[in-house]
């Protein structure tokens, strides 16, 4: 499909969209121009990294009629400039609307495999796009590794430094390793002559306050593009299963990720220098199939400080 434009629509959060990045890289081999309609910050990030030409803000009132009975003519005209539209969604509603209101072929795929399926999200997406004929056969890890070689190594990144970014937050408090453990981790890293730096998002005021109560500085970010600059100036990253961890790994930063109730088989961040801390347990990861963690979430409490330091030594 030479000389063609593709619009991707994704309603997910940062981590969900980062796991589509390998697929976007593969799609760029077939489409000359790729844009994305998603959360504003995530769209700016994708454009900043050169993965798409333009990011449209999903939360803008301008695009609200996509999800209404009557589609604005301006939106219809915009959609008509694309040869294909790719929608990541479990619901067929948006796909049906686009197919009914425009002549642009729309393909919808689920943003992840069924909850109990032991398939990595990025691999599932790539396999689904292969089946749909939108990309050639590819492996998500190979795609990311190739991108690292051309985009990161070619730019001379990352910069050698003793700074280590620690991000104790997550999109869900169910996936947070205890903050006291992160604070103890920072103490241990300092004893090794390193410079741990806490980073939190604007939606994590509880963590920010507690970190500052321990006489530690915490840096906040409101723009994901600013976060990229911070990550690219560090030597390593340590955090929970979160969108920020997915971004750090994708950027090629040596990354340690502490998993709890989510399944790393499905959600491990993609990158050549990633270590996962996740105790071996008899129970099945429950994050996607249960509304709450169990009374004793040993998946988090059994992740020891020593196991995190061991993982850090393996990537640093």
């Amino acid at each position: 499909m030479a000389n063609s434009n593709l619009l991707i629509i994704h309603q997910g959060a940062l981590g969900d969209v980062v796991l589509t990045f390998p697929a976007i890289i593969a799609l760029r081999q077939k489409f000359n121009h790729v844009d994305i309609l998603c959360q504003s910050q995530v769209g700016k990030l994708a454009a900043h990294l050169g993965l798409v030409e333009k990011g449209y803000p999903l939360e803008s009132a301008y695009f609200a009629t996509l999800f209404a009975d009557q589609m604005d003519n301006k939106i219809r005209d915009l959609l008509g400039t694309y040869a294909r539209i790719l929608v990541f969604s479990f619901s067929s509603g948006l796909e049906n609307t686009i197919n009914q209101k425009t002549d642009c072929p729309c393909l919808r795929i689920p943003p992840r495999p069924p909850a109990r399926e032991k398939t990595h999200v990025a691999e599932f997406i790539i396999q689904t796009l292969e089946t749909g004929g939108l990309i050639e056969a590819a492996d998500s890890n190979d795609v990311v590794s190739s991108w690292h070689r051309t985009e990161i190594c070619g730019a001379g990144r990352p910069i050698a430094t003793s700074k280590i970014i620690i991000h104790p937050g997550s999109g869900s408090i169910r996936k947070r390793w205890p903050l006291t453990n992160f604070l103890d981790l920072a103490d241990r890293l300092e004893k090794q002559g390193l410079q741990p730096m806490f980073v939190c998002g604007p939606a994590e005021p509880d963590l920010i306050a507690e970190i500052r109560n321990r006489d530690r500085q915490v840096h906040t970010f409101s723009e994901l593009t600013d976060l990229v600059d911070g990550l690219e100036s560090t030597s390593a990253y340590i955090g929970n299963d979160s969108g920020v961890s997915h971004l750090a790994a994708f950027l090629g930063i040596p990354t340690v990720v502490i998993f709890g109730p989510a399944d790393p088989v499905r959600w491990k961040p993609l990158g050549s220098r990633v270590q996962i801390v996740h105790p071996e347990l008899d129970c099945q990861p429950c994050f996607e199939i249960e509304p709450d963690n169990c009374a004793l979430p040993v998946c988090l409490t059994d992740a020891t400080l020593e196991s995190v330091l061991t993982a850090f030594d393996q990537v640093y």
Side-chain angles (χ1 to χ4, degrees):
M1 191 177 294
N3 301 317
S4 58
N5 300 340
L6 171 70
L7 176 65
I8 297 169
I9 302 177
H10 202 310
Q11 296 172 262
L14 174 62
D16 299 302
V17 179
V18 171
L19 285 178
T20 69
F21 284 176
I24 293 175
I25 294 169
L27 285 163
R28 290 182 65 89
Q29 303 299 313
K30 194 166 186 179
F31 292 89
N32 289 342
H33 185 105
V34 179
D35 294 331
I36 189 168
L37 171 60
C38 61
Q39 292 182 15
S40 173
Q41 287 286 322
V42 181
K44 290 178 183 178
L45 168 69
H48 178 74
L49 295 176
L51 299 170
V52 301
E53 276 67 40
K54 184 173 183 179
Y56 295 106
L58 186 66
E59 61 268 39
S60 169
Y62 180 71
F63 291 100
T65 61
L66 266 176
F67 307 93
D69 292 335
Q70 294 295 325
M71 183 186 296
D72 187 282
N73 288 335
K74 292 181 180 179
I75 299 298
R76 184 183 292 108
D77 291 342
L78 174 65
L79 297 182
T81 64
Y82 293 95
R84 291 294 296 266
I85 296 176
L86 174 61
V87 176
F88 287 90
S89 178
F90 288 111
S91 172
S92 62
L94 181 56
E95 175 191 23
N96 291 338
T97 298
I98 293 172
N99 284 331
Q100 290 169 7
K101 304 292 185 180
T102 76
D103 295 326
C104 181
C106 179
L107 173 66
R108 176 182 63 87
I109 70 171
R112 56 186 177 273
R116 297 179 188 275
E117 187 174 312
K118 292 289 188 177
T119 302
H120 194 276
V121 173
E123 279 302 309
F124 168 79
I125 291 170
I126 281 184
Q127 290 167 10
T128 306
L129 291 175
E130 283 179 35
T131 302
L134 265 68
I135 63 173
E136 305 298 330
D139 176 270
S140 58
N141 283 297
D142 290 344
V143 170
V144 173
S145 295
S146 176
W147 188 81
H148 285 168
R149 288 192 297 271
T150 57
E151 300 295 329
I152 295 178
C153 295
R157 298 175 293 176
I159 300 170
T161 175
S162 61
K163 183 172 71 175
I164 311 298
I165 286 183
I166 297 176
H167 177 235
S170 179
S172 169
I173 59 173
R174 291 179 61 187
K175 297 190 287 185
R176 286 183 184 175
W177 198 44
L179 179 59
T180 53
N181 291 357
F182 280 112
L183 291 163
D184 291 342
L185 172 65
D187 292 340
R188 292 284 294 274
L189 292 175
E190 282 184 335
K191 290 178 180 177
Q192 296 181 24
L194 300 173
Q195 297 177 306
M197 183 182 79
F198 282 92
V199 170
C200 287
E204 298 165 335
D206 56 323
L207 295 175
I208 294 170
E210 192 169 346
I211 293 167
R212 287 175 175 164
N213 284 341
R214 286 280 295 265
D215 295 324
R216 283 198 171 273
Q217 290 186 339
V218 56
H219 300 263
T220 59
F221 59 90
S222 56
E223 297 281 341
L224 289 175
T225 51
D226 293 337
L227 175 61
V228 168
D229 293 339
L231 289 169
E232 290 179 340
S233 68
T234 190
S235 281
Y237 167 94
I238 304 172
N240 297 309
D241 169 25
S242 70
V244 178
S245 297
H246 282 286
L247 178 58
F250 180 78
L251 291 172
I253 311 299
T255 298
V256 175
V257 187
I258 304 156
F259 269 78
D263 190 349
V265 172
R266 290 167 56 83
W267 294 101
K268 177 184 176 180
L270 296 173
S272 58
R273 303 177 70 183
V274 178
Q275 284 291 322
I276 299 300
V277 177
H278 191 242
E280 293 289 338
L281 302 172
D282 293 331
C283 58
Q284 182 177 3
C286 64
F287 183 75
E288 297 179 83
I289 59 177
E290 297 292 342
D292 300 294
N293 289 354
C294 56
L296 264 178
V298 291
C299 55
L300 284 170
T301 58
D302 281 11
T304 65
L305 176 58
E306 295 303 324
S307 65
V308 174
L309 286 167
T310 298
F312 172 77
D313 289 340
Q314 292 173 343
V315 296
Y316 182 64

